[in-house]
Amino acid sequence: MISGETREALTVAMQNDEFRYAMEGHQDIRGHVVLSEGLLALGVVFTRLATLAVTVHDDFGGGNDPAPEHDFGALVVDGVPVFWRIDLYDPDLVHAPRDRTDPDQTMRVLRIMLDAER
């Protein structure tokens, strides 16, 4: 039997994955993507490679994703360590969502950044 807490984590993980997979369109999962200044400073090609790498990231073992919600990842893009994380908010982008599993009540903010900017 799956506990309520585990079910919530699995639901949030699936929604976070869906958000990342459809990052450019977001489809049914609402949110924003924020690229750090350091990442942007590496140029348009690097930024695109990093964004694509985050979209397809699926290594959630070890130090990645300590809260099993697929809300954090560390990867290397063209030799540069890149980190990403997803934070969940109410649609007002100020408070925590009332129900993290309800995509209508939850706004995701995906930040992609360099190691020094974490």
Side-chain angles (χ1 to χ4, degrees):
M1 180 185 286
I2 296 176
S3 73
E5 189 173 295
T6 301
R7 178 168 292 132
E8 179 181 4
L10 291 171
T11 300
V12 168
M14 288 187 306
Q15 291 172 354
N16 285 342
D17 287 344
E18 183 180 340
F19 179 74
R20 284 186 310 105
Y21 298 155
M23 192 183 307
E24 294 177 10
H26 303 311
Q27 298 184 10
D28 295 331
I29 306 294
R30 300 178 337 166
H32 302 283
V33 178
V34 178
L35 306 177
S36 72
E37 287 185 32
L39 191 81
L40 290 169
L42 294 176
V44 136
V45 172
F46 183 83
T47 300
R48 185 66 180 129
L49 290 173
T51 303
L52 181 59
V54 169
T55 300
V56 299
H57 179 84
D58 66 356
D59 178 13
F60 291 104
N64 281 333
D65 198 37
E69 295 182 349
H70 294 190
D71 61 355
F72 175 83
L75 42 97
V76 177
V77 177
D78 202 24
V80 177
V82 172
F83 296 86
W84 62 267
R85 69 171 290 129
I86 297 174
D87 293 305
L88 306 179
Y89 296 94
D90 249 359
D92 64 11
L93 293 173
V94 175
H95 301 96
R98 288 180 214 139
D99 178 358
R100 299 166 0 109
T101 64
D102 182 349
D104 292 330
Q105 296 182 35
T106 304
M107 183 70 73
R108 284 167 170 73
V109 176
L110 167 60
R111 293 181 295 147
I112 306 173
M113 66 208 103
L114 302 178
D115 183 23
E117 299 173 306
R118 300 194 279 161

